[in-house]
């Protein structure tokens, strides 16, 4: 499967690959259900909940409970998050009127946040969000601070590790990776 320039995922009927004239393509029903749009202030609380739930479930395989608790405390300053989201290019992915993912990038090409709902992992949502964010900036070099969990995703997209780093939050060490593309 791959994304086309139109943003739809295509499936190719493998039985007909030998005859290019007979290639059958169908738009996946999943892509038809997903909408990507720019962030609205009214999204902020939902994004904070999605962030907390994603960190505490998806990232639990790579971080301890203690690390998860200082990374995503369950309380964020919604006014500061909103201010940050509005300052950056922030987009959200919606399916069935529910936000299932979000990401944001600043003018310098720093991809700040990229999170997908725990029940919608590996559905192409993060890739679709990343595609939009990366295409929107005029900077050639894009950087991010990737978690251990997200590192393979970014490497698959062509990012490379610049260095591993340890971030201290409330006295607890968290490992992440500065990566660039």
């Amino acid at each position: 499967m791959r994304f086309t320039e139109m943003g739809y995922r295509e499936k190719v009927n493998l039985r007909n690959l030998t005859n290019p004239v007979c290639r059958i393509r169908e738009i996946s029903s999943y892509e038809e259900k997903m909408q990507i749009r720019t962030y609205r202030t009214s999204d902020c609380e939902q994004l904070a909940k999605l962030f907390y739930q994603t960190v505490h479930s998806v990232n639990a395989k790579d971080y301890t409970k203690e690390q998860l608790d200082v990374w995503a405390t369950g309380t964020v300053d919604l006014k500061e998050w909103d201010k940050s989201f509005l300052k950056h290019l922030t987009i959200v992915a919606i399916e069935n009127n529910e936000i299932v993912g979000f990401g944001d990038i600043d003018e310098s090409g720093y991809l700040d946040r990229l999170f997908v709902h725990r029940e919608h992992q590996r559905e192409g949502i993060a890739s679709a969000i990343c595609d939009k964010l990366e295409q929107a900036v005029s900077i050639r070099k894009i950087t991010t601070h990737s978690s251990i969990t997200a590192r393979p995703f970014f490497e698959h997209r062509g990012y490379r590790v610049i260095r591993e780093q340890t971030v201290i939050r409330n006295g607890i060490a968290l490992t992440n990776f500065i990566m660039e593309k």
Side-chain angles (χ1 to χ4, degrees):
M1 291 189 213
R2 64 184 172 87
F3 282 98
T4 66
E5 298 76 31
M6 294 171 32
Y8 295 104
R9 187 177 294 169
E10 293 181 340
K11 292 181 183 175
V12 177
N13 185 331
L14 297 176
R15 293 184 305 240
N16 297 317
L17 280 178
T18 55
N19 184 350
V21 176
C22 294
R23 288 188 185 171
I24 298 172
R25 294 182 179 170
E26 61 185 53
I27 298 172
S28 133
S29 61
Y30 175 75
E31 287 300 325
E32 291 174 340
K33 293 189 294 185
M34 185 174 70
Q35 172 196 7
I36 293 183
R37 65 161 170 78
T38 56
Y39 168 79
R40 300 174 188 150
T41 296
S42 59
D43 298 330
C44 195
E45 190 173 337
Q46 288 179 62
L47 300 192
K49 287 178 184 176
L50 189 151
F51 164 73
Y52 177 84
Q53 292 170 347
T54 301
V55 168
H56 280 268
S57 57
V58 175
N59 297 92
K61 66 180 184 170
D62 297 307
Y63 295 90
T64 67
K65 180 172 178 358
E66 188 177 44
Q67 290 171 317
L68 298 172
D69 287 343
V70 296
W71 179 4
T73 63
T75 56
V76 297
D77 184 332
L78 292 177
K79 287 184 182 180
E80 286 301 312
W81 266 43
D82 182 50
K83 184 177 167 183
S84 173
F85 287 141
L86 292 171
K87 185 177 178 184
H88 298 170
L89 168 61
T90 305
I91 59 176
V92 298
I94 300 171
E95 181 182 309
N96 298 323
N97 296 316
E98 176 188 7
I99 295 176
V100 293
F102 71 94
D104 66 309
I105 194 166
D106 70 13
E107 293 177 347
S108 73
Y110 176 64
L111 198 156
D112 191 0
R113 290 162 281 217
L114 179 64
F115 292 92
V116 173
H117 191 285
R118 64 185 175 202
E119 294 175 9
H120 294 276
Q121 297 288 307
R122 301 194 180 284
E123 294 179 4
I125 296 169
S127 293
I129 293 170
C130 247
D131 287 346
K132 298 284 187 196
L133 294 174
E134 291 172 357
Q135 292 167 8
V137 294
S138 58
I139 304 297
R140 292 184 66 114
K141 181 173 73 171
I142 298 172
T143 60
T144 193
H145 292 187
S146 172
S147 67
I148 295 168
T149 312
R151 179 181 170 179
F153 168 81
F154 285 110
E155 287 176 329
H156 182 73
R157 292 186 62 81
Y159 286 75
R160 63 184 180 85
V161 173
I162 302 304
R163 74 174 185 272
E164 181 177 323
Q165 67 178 3
T166 301
V167 177
I168 307 296
R169 290 204 179 158
N170 295 333
I172 306 298
L174 295 154
T175 298
N176 70 14
F177 303 90
I178 298 174
M179 300 182 77
E180 71 179 33
K181 179 179 184 180

Coordinates of all heavy atoms in Angstrom, one line a residue, residues 15-52:
R15 N -3.5 -10.2 -8.5 CA -3.7 -11.2 -9.5 C -3.5 -10.6 -10.9 O -3.2 -11.3 -11.9 CB -5.1 -11.7 -9.5 CG -5.4 -12.6 -8.2 CD -6.8 -13.1 -8.3 NE -7.7 -12.0 -8.5 CZ -8.7 -11.8 -7.7 NH1 -8.9 -12.5 -6.6 NH2 -9.6 -10.8 -7.9
N16 N -3.6 -9.3 -11.0 CA -3.5 -8.6 -12.3 C -2.2 -7.8 -12.5 O -2.1 -7.0 -13.5 CB -4.7 -7.7 -12.5 CG -6.0 -8.5 -12.5 OD1 -6.1 -9.6 -13.1 ND2 -7.0 -8.0 -11.8
L17 N -1.2 -8.0 -11.7 CA 0.0 -7.2 -11.8 C 0.7 -7.5 -13.1 O 1.4 -6.7 -13.6 CB 0.9 -7.4 -10.6 CG 0.5 -6.7 -9.4 CD1 1.5 -7.0 -8.2 CD2 0.5 -5.2 -9.6
T18 N 0.6 -8.7 -13.6 CA 1.4 -9.0 -14.9 C 0.8 -8.3 -16.1 O 1.5 -8.1 -17.1 CB 1.3 -10.5 -15.1 OG1 0.0 -11.0 -15.2 CG2 2.1 -11.3 -14.0
N19 N -0.4 -7.9 -16.0 CA -1.1 -7.2 -17.1 C -1.4 -5.7 -16.7 O -2.4 -5.5 -16.0 CB -2.3 -7.9 -17.6 CG -3.0 -7.2 -18.8 OD1 -2.6 -6.1 -19.2 ND2 -4.0 -7.9 -19.3
P20 N -0.5 -4.8 -17.0 CA -0.7 -3.4 -16.5 C -2.0 -2.8 -16.9 O -2.6 -2.0 -16.2 CB 0.4 -2.6 -17.1 CG 1.3 -3.6 -17.8 CD 0.6 -4.9 -17.8
V21 N -2.6 -3.2 -18.0 CA -3.9 -2.7 -18.5 C -5.0 -3.1 -17.5 O -6.0 -2.4 -17.4 CB -4.2 -3.2 -19.9 CG1 -5.5 -2.7 -20.4 CG2 -3.1 -2.7 -20.9
C22 N -4.8 -4.3 -16.9 CA -5.9 -4.8 -16.1 C -5.7 -4.5 -14.6 O -6.4 -5.0 -13.7 CB -5.9 -6.3 -16.2 SG -6.5 -6.8 -17.8
R23 N -4.7 -3.6 -14.3 CA -4.5 -3.3 -12.9 C -5.8 -2.6 -12.3 O -6.4 -1.7 -12.9 CB -3.4 -2.3 -12.7 CG -2.0 -3.0 -12.9 CD -0.9 -2.1 -12.6 NE 0.3 -2.7 -12.9 CZ 1.5 -2.2 -12.9 NH1 1.6 -0.9 -12.5 NH2 2.6 -2.8 -13.2
I24 N -6.2 -3.2 -11.2 CA -7.4 -2.7 -10.6 C -7.1 -2.0 -9.3 O -6.4 -2.6 -8.4 CB -8.4 -3.9 -10.3 CG1 -8.8 -4.5 -11.6 CG2 -9.6 -3.4 -9.5 CD1 -9.6 -5.8 -11.4
R25 N -7.5 -0.8 -9.1 CA -7.2 0.0 -7.9 C -8.5 0.4 -7.3 O -9.4 0.8 -7.9 CB -6.4 1.2 -8.3 CG -5.0 0.9 -8.8 CD -4.2 2.1 -9.1 NE -2.9 1.7 -9.6 CZ -2.1 2.5 -10.1 NH1 -2.3 3.7 -10.2 NH2 -0.9 2.0 -10.5
E26 N -8.5 0.3 -6.0 CA -9.7 0.7 -5.3 C -9.2 1.6 -4.1 O -8.2 1.3 -3.5 CB -10.5 -0.5 -4.8 CG -9.7 -1.4 -3.8 CD -10.4 -2.6 -3.4 OE1 -10.9 -3.3 -4.3 OE2 -10.6 -2.9 -2.2
I27 N -10.0 2.6 -3.8 CA -9.7 3.4 -2.7 C -10.1 2.7 -1.4 O -11.3 2.3 -1.4 CB -10.4 4.8 -2.9 CG1 -9.8 5.5 -4.1 CG2 -10.2 5.7 -1.6 CD1 -10.6 6.8 -4.4
S28 N -9.3 2.6 -0.5 CA -9.6 2.0 0.7 C -10.7 2.7 1.5 O -10.7 3.9 1.5 CB -8.3 1.9 1.6 OG -8.5 2.2 2.9
S29 N -11.6 2.0 2.0 CA -12.8 2.6 2.7 C -12.3 3.4 3.9 O -12.9 4.3 4.3 CB -13.8 1.6 3.1 OG -13.2 0.6 4.0
Y30 N -11.1 2.9 4.5 CA -10.6 3.6 5.7 C -10.2 5.1 5.3 O -10.6 6.0 6.0 CB -9.3 2.9 6.2 CG -8.7 3.8 7.3 CD1 -9.4 3.8 8.6 CD2 -7.6 4.5 7.1 CE1 -8.9 4.6 9.6 CE2 -7.1 5.3 8.1 CZ -7.7 5.3 9.4 OH -7.3 6.1 10.4
E31 N -9.6 5.3 4.2 CA -9.1 6.6 3.8 C -10.3 7.5 3.5 O -10.3 8.7 3.7 CB -8.2 6.5 2.5 CG -6.9 6.0 2.8 CD -6.1 6.8 3.8 OE1 -6.2 8.1 3.8 OE2 -5.3 6.2 4.6
E32 N -11.4 6.9 3.0 CA -12.6 7.7 2.8 C -13.2 8.2 4.1 O -13.9 9.2 4.1 CB -13.6 6.9 2.0 CG -13.2 6.6 0.6 CD -14.2 5.7 -0.2 OE1 -14.9 5.0 0.5 OE2 -14.1 5.7 -1.4
K33 N -13.0 7.5 5.2 CA -13.6 7.8 6.4 C -12.7 8.9 7.2 O -13.3 9.6 8.0 CB -13.7 6.6 7.3 CG -14.8 5.6 6.8 CD -15.0 4.5 7.9 CE -13.8 3.7 8.1 NZ -14.1 2.5 9.0
M34 N -11.5 9.0 6.9 CA -10.6 9.9 7.6 C -10.5 11.3 6.9 O -10.4 11.4 5.7 CB -9.2 9.3 7.7 CG -8.2 10.1 8.5 SD -6.6 9.4 8.8 CE -5.9 9.6 7.2
Q35 N -10.6 12.3 7.8 CA -10.5 13.7 7.3 C -9.3 14.3 8.0 O -9.1 14.0 9.2 CB -11.8 14.4 7.7 CG -11.7 15.9 7.4 CD -12.8 16.7 8.1 OE1 -13.6 16.1 8.9 NE2 -12.9 17.9 7.9
I36 N -8.5 15.0 7.3 CA -7.4 15.8 7.9 C -7.7 17.3 7.8 O -8.1 17.7 6.7 CB -6.1 15.4 7.3 CG1 -5.7 14.0 7.6 CG2 -5.0 16.4 7.8 CD1 -4.4 13.5 7.1
R37 N -7.7 18.0 8.9 CA -7.9 19.4 8.9 C -7.0 20.1 9.8 O -6.3 19.5 10.7 CB -9.4 19.7 9.2 CG -9.8 19.3 10.6 CD -11.1 20.0 11.1 NE -11.6 19.5 12.3 CZ -11.1 19.8 13.5 NH1 -10.1 20.6 13.7 NH2 -11.7 19.3 14.6
T38 N -7.0 21.5 9.8 CA -6.2 22.2 10.7 C -6.8 22.3 12.1 O -8.0 22.1 12.2 CB -6.0 23.7 10.2 OG1 -7.3 24.3 10.0 CG2 -5.2 23.7 8.9
Y39 N -6.0 22.5 13.0 CA -6.4 22.5 14.4 C -7.3 23.7 14.7 O -7.2 24.8 14.1 CB -5.1 22.7 15.3 CG -5.3 23.0 16.7 CD1 -5.7 22.1 17.6 CD2 -5.2 24.4 17.1 CE1 -5.9 22.4 19.0 CE2 -5.4 24.7 18.5 CZ -5.7 23.7 19.4 OH -5.9 24.0 20.7
R40 N -8.2 23.5 15.7 CA -9.1 24.5 16.2 C -8.9 24.5 17.7 O -8.7 23.5 18.3 CB -10.6 24.2 15.9 CG -10.8 24.1 14.4 CD -12.3 23.7 14.1 NE -12.5 23.4 12.7 CZ -13.3 22.5 12.2 NH1 -14.1 21.8 13.1 NH2 -13.4 22.4 10.9
T41 N -9.1 25.7 18.3 CA -8.9 25.8 19.8 C -9.9 24.8 20.5 O -9.5 24.2 21.5 CB -9.2 27.2 20.2 OG1 -8.2 28.1 19.7 CG2 -9.2 27.4 21.7
S42 N -11.0 24.6 19.9 CA -12.0 23.6 20.6 C -11.4 22.2 20.6 O -12.0 21.3 21.3 CB -13.3 23.7 19.8 OG -13.2 23.3 18.5
D43 N -10.4 21.9 19.8 CA -9.8 20.5 19.8 C -8.8 20.3 21.0 O -8.5 19.1 21.3 CB -8.9 20.3 18.6 CG -9.7 20.4 17.3 OD1 -10.9 20.1 17.3 OD2 -9.1 20.8 16.3
C44 N -8.4 21.3 21.7 CA -7.3 21.2 22.6 C -7.5 20.2 23.7 O -6.6 19.4 24.0 CB -7.0 22.6 23.2 SG -5.4 22.7 24.0
E45 N -8.6 20.2 24.3 CA -8.8 19.2 25.4 C -8.8 17.8 24.9 O -8.2 16.9 25.5 CB -10.2 19.5 26.1 CG -10.3 18.7 27.4 CD -11.6 19.1 28.2 OE1 -12.1 20.3 28.0 OE2 -12.1 18.3 29.0
Q46 N -9.4 17.5 23.7 CA -9.3 16.2 23.1 C -7.9 15.8 22.8 O -7.5 14.6 23.0 CB -10.2 16.2 21.9 CG -11.6 16.2 22.1 CD -12.4 16.2 20.7 OE1 -12.3 15.2 20.0 NE2 -13.1 17.3 20.4
L47 N -7.1 16.7 22.3 CA -5.7 16.4 22.0 C -4.9 16.1 23.3 O -4.1 15.1 23.3 CB -5.0 17.5 21.3 CG -5.6 17.9 19.9 CD1 -4.7 18.9 19.2 CD2 -6.0 16.7 19.1
A48 N -5.2 16.8 24.4 CA -4.5 16.5 25.6 C -4.9 15.1 26.1 O -4.0 14.3 26.6 CB -4.9 17.5 26.7
K49 N -6.1 14.7 26.0 CA -6.6 13.4 26.4 C -5.9 12.3 25.5 O -5.4 11.3 26.0 CB -8.1 13.2 26.4 CG -8.8 14.0 27.5 CD -10.3 13.9 27.3 CE -11.0 14.7 28.4 NZ -12.4 14.7 28.2
L50 N -5.9 12.5 24.2 CA -5.3 11.6 23.3 C -3.8 11.4 23.6 O -3.3 10.3 23.6 CB -5.5 12.1 21.8 CG -5.2 11.1 20.7 CD1 -6.0 11.3 19.5 CD2 -3.7 11.2 20.4
F51 N -3.1 12.5 23.9 CA -1.7 12.5 24.2 C -1.5 11.6 25.4 O -0.7 10.7 25.4 CB -1.2 13.9 24.5 CG 0.1 14.0 25.2 CD1 1.3 13.7 24.6 CD2 0.1 14.4 26.5 CE1 2.5 13.8 25.2 CE2 1.3 14.5 27.2 CZ 2.5 14.2 26.5
Y52 N -2.2 11.8 26.5 CA -2.1 11.1 27.7 C -2.3 9.6 27.5 O -1.5 8.7 27.9 CB -3.0 11.6 28.8 CG -3.0 10.8 30.1 CD1 -2.0 11.0 31.0 CD2 -3.8 9.7 30.3 CE1 -1.9 10.3 32.2 CE2 -3.8 9.0 31.5 CZ -2.8 9.3 32.4 OH -2.7 8.5 33.5

